[in-house]
Each structure stands twice: as C-alpha cells, then as structure tokens.
Amino acid sequence: LRAAPHAAPDATTFRILTSALCRAQRPAAAVELLRCMPGLLLDPDERHCRAVLASLCRCAPARDALAFLDDMRRWGVSPSGPDHHAVLDALLREGLAAEAYGVVAKQMDADGVRPGLPEFERVLRAFRESGSFEAVEEAFDEMLLRGLVPSARVYNVYVGALCDRGNLAGARR
C-alpha cells in the first residue's frame, strides 16, 4: 500500500486484509496495516480493533497484545472488559504476572472497567506460583483499598502464599 501512492484504499480494504492476516495467524502484520490507516486519514473502527486484539491474544506474544491496547486508545477505541480479560489471559498464560497486575491495577480503571475479585484472584495466584510474595501482599492490599471483600477462594490464595513464605503467624491471623 505504501509503495503505491496513487492507490486510495478505503476502510473496507483494510478490514479485508487484516481479517485475512488474522485468519492466517499473522496478527502482527494486521497491526502494522492498522497503523497505516491514520496516515491515510482513515480511523480503525472498534469492531476491527477488537478482532485484531483477539487474534493477537491467541497467536502473538502477550506483550504485543498489551501494546496494542495503547494503539486502540490512540485511535479513540476504549478497551472494554472483554478486551482486558483477553490480554490478562494471554499475559498469565505466558507467566507475565507483573504485567497482568499492571492491567488489573492501572489500565482497567483508566479505561473505565472496574476490576473485580476474579481478576485479583488470578493475579494473586500467578504471583504465588512464581514465588513473588511481596507482590502477593501488594495486590491483596490494592484489592482491599478498592473496597473489594475477599472471597474464600481469594483468602485461600493469600493464606497459602503466607504459608509458602513461612509466615505462619500471619496466616493464623
């Protein structure tokens, strides 16, 4: 497209090309095409961005999906709850607990999506499994500061992390 300056592709052309790239499991190439659209005075639409994000979460490194959330915001597409959950799943699947916590603690709120107990529980589990006990404490405190009341499942993860750390006195409290 860049090599043919006389060509005037429209949004439909981009939708067709990026859909084909996503089906071919080449979402990074689809992202590069989307990034060309603003230069041609075309805006990627919400549905189109969500489809590419879903493909990134399935077929690309999780950090690419995380970076694509910033592209979406720049194009005026606010990431939704399902978008955040897909990125969270991808990050946790790759063992990137700290980045996943960043999505839950910062990005979801910034996009108007309130994280709940399930998101915090998943992050707490990931931190516990990786032995990041200070991060377990931080995430648990963040959850409490948000006014979320831990469920039995969340407490089990938290108390289990305290026991793993050797803090039996803290676990008894």
Side-chain angles (χ1 to χ4, degrees):
L1 292 173
R2 289 182 182 166
H6 59 282
D10 60 0
T12 303
T13 304
F14 281 95
R15 221 177 345 269
I16 292 167
L17 291 172
T18 56
S19 293
L21 287 167
C22 288
R23 279 193 308 275
Q25 298 185 354
R26 302 223 21 236
V31 170
E32 289 308 313
L33 271 179
L34 285 179
R35 289 179 179 149
C36 293
M37 289 181 75
L40 296 170
L41 303 177
L42 298 170
D43 294 321
D45 64 49
E46 187 174 313
R47 211 169 103 214
H48 198 194
C49 287
R50 285 181 172 43
V52 172
L53 179 65
S55 185
L56 281 168
C57 290
R58 281 190 314 272
C59 306
R63 285 190 174 112
D64 291 354
L66 184 59
F68 189 68
L69 290 177
D70 292 331
D71 288 332
M72 289 174 62
R73 288 182 200 97
R74 199 170 31 260
W75 297 326
V77 177
S78 184
S80 66
D83 296 334
H84 285 287
H85 291 139
V87 172
L88 185 65
D89 289 344
L91 290 167
L92 292 174
R93 196 171 43 247
E94 291 183 17
L96 301 171
E99 288 86 345
Y101 178 60
V103 169
V104 171
K106 295 181 182 89
Q107 291 191 15
M108 289 179 80
D109 274 339
D111 292 326
V113 178
R114 189 169 188 262
L117 286 177
E119 293 81 16
F120 277 100
E121 179 187 351
R122 294 182 65 210
V123 170
L124 287 168
R125 277 187 198 287
F127 281 142
R128 179 184 176 195
E129 289 169 6
S130 69
S132 302
F133 302 116
E134 293 80 20
V136 169
E137 292 281 347
E138 180 184 337
F140 191 79
D141 290 346
E142 176 70 22
M143 182 187 66
L144 294 176
L145 288 172
R146 290 170 178 266
L148 295 172
V149 178
S151 64
R153 291 172 52 117
V154 172
Y155 267 123
N156 283 340
V157 174
Y158 180 66
V159 170
L162 291 173
C163 291
D164 293 348
R165 186 179 196 179
N167 185 354
L168 299 179
R172 283 188 202 112
R173 282 186 287 141

